[in-house]
Amino acid sequence: MSARTMTIVLGMVIGLFACTGFAADPPGDAAAPADGLRNGNFMASGADGAPLHWSVSTPTHTARVVEDEGAAGGLAAELSPRKQAGGDKGEAAAGNLMQSFDAAPFRGKRIVVRGDVRLVMPSPMTKDALRDARAQMWVRVDRPNEQVGFFDNMSDRPIRGLRARGFLPYAVSGLVAEDATTISVGLMVFGESPARVADVRVFAVDPGEVADRPAAALSERGLANLVAFAKVYGYVRFFHPSDQASEVNWNDFAIAAVEHVEGAADDRELAGALRDVFGSIAPTAQVWSGKEGDAPELPSVLAKPSPKLVAWRHNGCGLSEGPMRVYTSKRETWPAAAPEEGPLAAGTAVVKSLGYGGGGGGDVWCRVPVCVPADEAGGTLPAAMVALVPLRPPAPRPEWWSPSGNDRSTRLGDVVIAWNIFQHFYPYFDVAETDWEAVLPRALRAAAEDADEAAFVRTLQRLVAELHDGHGNVYNMGLPRPSMPEVLFDWAVDDAGQMSLVVVASRSEAGALRRGDVVVEIAGRPVAEVYKEAREHISAATEQWARHRFATDAQWVAPGSGSEVAYKVRRGGETVGLAAPRAAVGMATGLKFKDKPANGAELAPGVMYFDLNGATSEELDALMPRFEKARGIVFDARGYPDSAGTASLQHLTGKNVKSARWIVPEVTLPDREEKGFVMKPVGRWDLPPLKPRLGGEGQKVAFVIGGGAISYAESCMGIVEHYKLGAIVGEATAGTNGNVNPFTLPGGYNVMWTGMNVRKHDKSRHHGVGILPTVPVQRTVAGVAAGKDEALEAAVRAVSE
């Protein structure tokens, strides 16, 4: 799945939360004080059993009030998939029960939405049902002009199957903006199992009553302790296959554990603290202080023969939910008498020092079994004698508290989680040239001192930028984002041979910014200074992609929150100060280069044009009669194609063409150890030819490319490059390909990254290289000012000669 596909999926999920209107008058039921929420105790239902004042915004699901002795008041709302004809349930999709109400009573306050939730698991319980079943409460605050204020859908801490067979309390809390208009709350359910919710309440607390841990610098000892914890966290979470570890909510665990571990006074206390937090979930793991040779004796259970063995096998890292699972993480069980059936040998364990280069923790060690014994039923040994009790922070928090980037422990836990995912699964460290070990203490220091959730976005961006991954990005939907002026910027070479930020298109009302203006200052800061700062936060495998990201991202080229953005531009021999008004929030500029032709335009006698960016195969088919007769065809690949991307290639060949192979790491051992990090091909496109055939005798074809072409666009252009389907004109592409593997951190931080390795057809490097032009053309400031698209003009010449 590409970054574009992920954007579409996120859009579908956000679409679940479409508001259905709200009642401005206060509710009448006693369970909900004058807070706008109605029927939170589900005492009122319609003739069809549906809860009054609530709505189901997804046609795949239905809701009804049911009796449940475990619910407060004995009643709950059950959200379940509809049955199709024949009694079968439809394909597992997201269901959404929701209610919207006026935000006015809560403006400027911290809102808390709490509810009791349980999943109704089938009997007998299947592995698929257990894997897919989850529920998530959510809250969204809407602001004027389509702005979204606070938003949290518990994607970082979903309610899972085994942990949700009985009602448990859950809460979401966040600040309501002073200009908020509507608050929407709800429950989502995924998979085939219904979810029940009871006793939903909404209330406000003093904004200062947040129970967040305040920012504070890490001592050298505290930093060493957290580095050690981070390492054991990754070994146990991703590689220790005990049944106990499989039941842990690893996000909550990370946040609580940092508070237990940070204060250890020396190595001996640190080893004890690590044993305390990991002991119940990794019963055969060991931590000790001293030298490697001071290790305690192996637990006796590891020395005894067992009927079965269990180990993790990761194909990539199985973080994403839903039907588009490219990456999987599974605990595999096999007979001990048939060792060839499993990924690891009996008794395999990792022994690691928990120190780091900066000092501290160097005399603390761990031994974590990564292949453990199991009984005949597949239960790992030793078996848990009591139910797992979640780790709680030393200082209790209110029931309504939920993680946010304003909380120091959440920030530290997030760094631990994210660093480990990349440490064990990122497939491009062989070319990224990053000292990833050194990134961890730097990120922990910054996270401890970040002032708030907005500052922490920058810390996470810097961490991800160290991957040099063009897909890498961090954003938080609950934080305000600046909007762009109705202007498009790009980079071009000036008369001195320097790269300059230049206006390539603008609306007439955009503060009189003109095509060809060279931007020298943004909001009072020199462009070079802004770009230098941005470069530390932009993840990119190539400089051309970094420049593209900078020029198209409002946080850099249109910072701030005012209605206008101040610029200084060089126009001719003068420097001019201008203020460009921002576009309406939520509105895409929709601008193309003013000289970008319409699809089907004739650029020169007999030369036809087609822009692949966002174009479908149906649009291409509609122009095919004209293209058949053309002397030359120019395909513009400076962007992200839709289905026309592959379809255009299929018309250019008389035989099947294949993409480069997609390669996913099979991971069985931590720290990307060579024998436990094996790159395995998982597939490729095999595209049959389509009629009519284009690009045959007498008809030339060219593709225009640039630094903004990434991922799917590069898969298409890789085929052009390998099979020589046409001239490639312009500048090198982004140099990043492979399906993304997004995850969400506590506090609502969404992290994007590439989970697979893609090389060129000849197995040479693509990452950090990209598709190189056969006809190199650089955009120039003079050309932009003259209204030229120099790469397009060169492509026309290439197919006309």
Side-chain angles (χ1 to χ4, degrees):
M1 181 171 58
S2 64
R4 180 188 181 94
T5 305
M6 186 60 201
T7 301
I8 294 170
V9 171
L10 285 171
M12 293 168 60
V13 173
I14 293 168
L16 295 175
F17 311 136
C19 294
T20 56
F22 59 84
D25 53 324
D29 58 281
D35 57 11
L37 183 76
R38 291 180 167 221
N39 196 27
N41 55 14
F42 301 105
M43 294 291 182
S45 58
D48 58 354
L52 292 181
H53 308 298
W54 294 82
S55 63
V56 178
S57 63
T58 49
T60 55
H61 286 67
T62 184
R64 62 189 180 99
V65 175
V66 297
E67 293 184 358
D68 191 317
E69 62 182 16
L75 294 175
E78 180 175 285
L79 179 64
S80 57
R82 292 183 183 274
K83 290 185 177 180
Q84 295 183 338
D88 294 331
K89 289 184 178 179
E91 180 181 348
N96 185 48
L97 176 68
M98 65 173 292
Q99 185 176 149
S100 301
F101 49 89
D102 191 356
F106 297 98
R107 289 173 183 157
K109 301 177 182 178
R110 176 172 290 274
I111 189 175
V112 178
V113 180
R114 60 89 56 213
D116 298 332
V117 181
R118 64 171 289 229
L119 286 163
V120 183
M121 302 302 294
S123 182
M125 189 186 307
T126 66
K127 286 185 177 180
D128 286 347
L130 181 61
R131 178 197 66 201
D132 294 338
R134 74 182 196 277
Q136 296 167 209
M137 290 177 57
W138 62 270
V139 177
R140 189 188 74 188
V141 176
D142 288 321
R143 301 170 60 204
N145 298 321
E146 302 181 21
Q147 296 181 88
V148 176
F150 171 74
F151 174 78
D152 185 350
N153 67 356
M154 288 184 63
S155 60
D156 58 328
R157 56 195 189 284
I159 303 161
R160 292 286 189 181
L162 287 178
R163 292 193 296 274
R165 287 179 288 186
F167 279 106
L168 290 173
Y170 297 91
V172 176
S173 66
L175 292 174
V176 179
E178 294 284 359
D179 60 351
T181 56
T182 307
I183 298 172
S184 298
V185 303
L187 177 76
M188 293 189 295
V189 64
F190 300 82
E192 297 183 357
S193 300
R196 291 181 180 177
V197 59
D199 192 21
V200 181
R201 283 177 275 155
V202 178
F203 55 93
V205 296
D206 187 313
E209 185 187 350
V210 295
D212 289 335
R213 310 302 192 222
L218 281 168
S219 67
E220 286 300 321
R221 181 72 245 182
L223 177 62
N225 295 343
L226 292 186
V227 168
F229 163 70
K231 292 182 176 182
V232 182
Y233 175 94
Y235 300 147
V236 174
R237 175 180 176 178
F238 295 112
F239 298 98
H240 182 68
S242 69
D243 289 343
Q244 296 91 327
S246 71
E247 281 298 295
V248 174
N249 181 320
W250 287 103
N251 288 346
D252 290 349
F253 178 87
I255 295 170
V258 297
E259 298 187 15
H260 284 273
V261 173
E262 182 186 347
D266 53 33
D267 285 351
R268 185 176 178 181
E269 279 193 23
L270 171 60
L274 293 173
R275 287 193 294 269
D276 288 343
V277 298
F278 288 103
S280 63
I281 60 178
T284 55
Q286 297 167 300
V287 183
W288 67 95
S289 59
K291 305 300 181 183
E292 181 178 1
D294 297 331
E297 291 185 7
L298 285 173
S300 59
V301 69
L302 296 179
K304 298 176 182 178
S306 63
K308 294 185 177 179
L309 298 169
V310 182
W312 279 102
R313 190 195 302 268
H314 303 275
N315 290 296
C317 187
L319 299 169
S320 302
E321 305 292 343
M324 292 186 287
R325 287 191 186 95
V326 179
Y327 308 105
T328 60
S329 292
K330 295 180 180 179
R331 288 191 305 154
E332 294 190 0
T333 304
W334 70 97
E340 71 281 357
E341 294 184 16
L344 294 172
T348 303
V350 295
V351 179
K352 300 282 186 177
S353 168
L354 301 179
Y356 74 101
D363 291 328
V364 179
W365 295 77
C366 72
R367 178 167 56 202
V368 180
V370 293
C371 179
V372 302
D375 58 26
E376 279 289 355
T380 60
L381 300 172
M385 303 306 294
V386 296
L388 182 68
V389 177
L391 184 69
R392 302 298 184 194
R397 302 185 194 257
E399 177 199 44
W400 50 261
W401 182 85
S402 58
S404 90
N406 293 316
D407 173 65
R408 180 178 184 269
S409 298
T410 299
R411 298 193 300 269
L412 292 170
D414 282 357
V415 169
V416 169
I417 296 166
W419 183 87
N420 271 289
I421 289 171
F422 302 132
Q423 164 70 4
H424 301 298
F425 302 104
Y426 183 55
Y428 285 116
F429 274 130
D430 61 329
V431 298
E433 298 180 356
T434 291
D435 183 355
W436 192 245
E437 184 89 2
V439 170
L440 176 59
R442 286 203 303 269
L444 288 170
R445 284 189 188 279
E449 299 181 40
D450 280 333
D452 54 29
E453 57 190 347
F456 185 52
V457 170
R458 290 285 197 257
T459 292
L460 289 175
Q461 286 175 338
R462 288 194 299 272
L463 182 147
V464 172
E466 295 280 3
L467 299 174
H468 305 294
D469 175 9
H471 284 140
N473 202 0
V474 179
Y475 61 95
N476 189 319
M477 291 179 60
L479 296 177
R481 289 161 290 171
S483 61
M484 290 280 283
E486 292 194 283
V487 175
L488 285 184
F489 300 102
D490 199 1
W491 294 87
V493 178
D494 63 18
D495 292 340
Q498 301 297 312
M499 295 296 295
S500 298
L501 186 69
V502 62
V503 176
V504 295
S506 70
R507 302 279 192 207
S508 59
E509 63 269 22
L513 284 171
R514 301 177 189 170
R515 181 183 177 108
D517 285 347
V518 175
V519 183
V520 295
E521 284 189 9
I522 300 172
R525 298 177 62 196
V527 168
E529 178 183 307
V530 178
Y531 184 73
K532 181 179 179 180
E533 178 190 349
R535 197 62 187 87
E536 296 177 356
H537 299 82
I538 293 174
S539 184
T542 61
E543 201 60 35
Q544 60 265 26
W545 175 251
R547 289 194 295 264
H548 172 81
R549 278 278 307 276
F550 179 87
T552 56
D553 192 337
Q555 67 178 311
W556 304 118
V557 295
S561 57
S563 60
E564 296 180 329
V565 186
Y567 297 98
K568 279 188 179 179
V569 300
R570 189 169 64 246
R571 181 182 296 165
E574 298 182 315
T575 299
V576 182
L578 300 167
R582 299 182 191 271
V585 174
M587 168 185 166
T589 60
L591 284 172
K592 292 184 177 181
F593 306 128
K594 288 186 176 179
D595 59 352
K596 202 163 189 179
N599 282 344
E602 189 171 6
L603 304 182
V607 177
M608 309 300 293
Y609 173 84
F610 191 85
D611 183 9
L612 292 170
N613 187 34
T616 65
S617 57
E618 289 78 13
E619 294 175 80
L620 180 63
D621 289 344
L623 293 169
M624 201 56 66
R626 297 176 60 193
F627 284 2
E628 282 186 272
K629 301 174 183 177
R631 180 164 62 97
I633 304 171
V634 175
F635 289 106
D636 199 330
R638 294 172 295 183
Y640 206 98
D642 203 313
S643 54
T646 52
S648 62
L649 310 179
Q650 292 171 273
H651 285 285
L652 293 173
T653 178
K655 61 180 182 180
N656 283 35
V657 292
K658 297 180 179 181
S659 68
R661 288 190 181 276
W662 304 309
I663 306 170
V664 171
E666 181 182 273
V667 185
T668 54
L669 293 173
D671 297 326
R672 304 181 311 283
E673 291 185 20
E674 186 175 352
K675 62 182 180 180
F677 192 85
V678 180
M679 305 301 288
K680 294 196 171 182
V682 296
R684 66 196 308 185
W685 295 337
D686 188 353
L687 305 176
L690 292 176
K691 293 183 178 180
R693 171 77 183 275
L694 302 177
E697 187 175 352
Q699 187 184 68
K700 293 184 177 181
V701 176
F703 289 81
V704 185
I705 61 171
I710 191 171
S711 197
Y712 169 51
E714 293 185 289
S715 290
C716 294
M717 289 308 303
I719 293 174
V720 176
E721 180 182 58
H722 178 70
Y723 291 96
K724 296 179 172 55
L725 300 182
I728 303 175
V729 183
E731 301 178 53
T733 59
T736 297
N737 202 356
N739 286 35
V740 295
N741 192 8
F743 59 92
T744 303
L745 293 168
Y749 296 92
N750 299 288
V751 183
M752 304 283 283
W753 62 294
T754 307
M756 66 171 58
N757 189 299
V758 179
R759 292 181 175 270
K760 292 178 181 282
H761 287 73
D762 63 3
K763 299 184 180 179
S764 64
R765 176 178 165 183
H766 174 85
H767 192 83
V769 176
I771 307 299
L772 303 179
T774 58
V775 182
V777 179
Q778 272 196 318
R779 170 167 256 165
T780 67
V781 172
V784 173
K788 295 181 178 181
D789 185 335
E790 290 146 309
L792 186 58
E793 291 178 3
V796 172
R797 290 194 297 271
V799 300
S800 300
E801 295 171 349

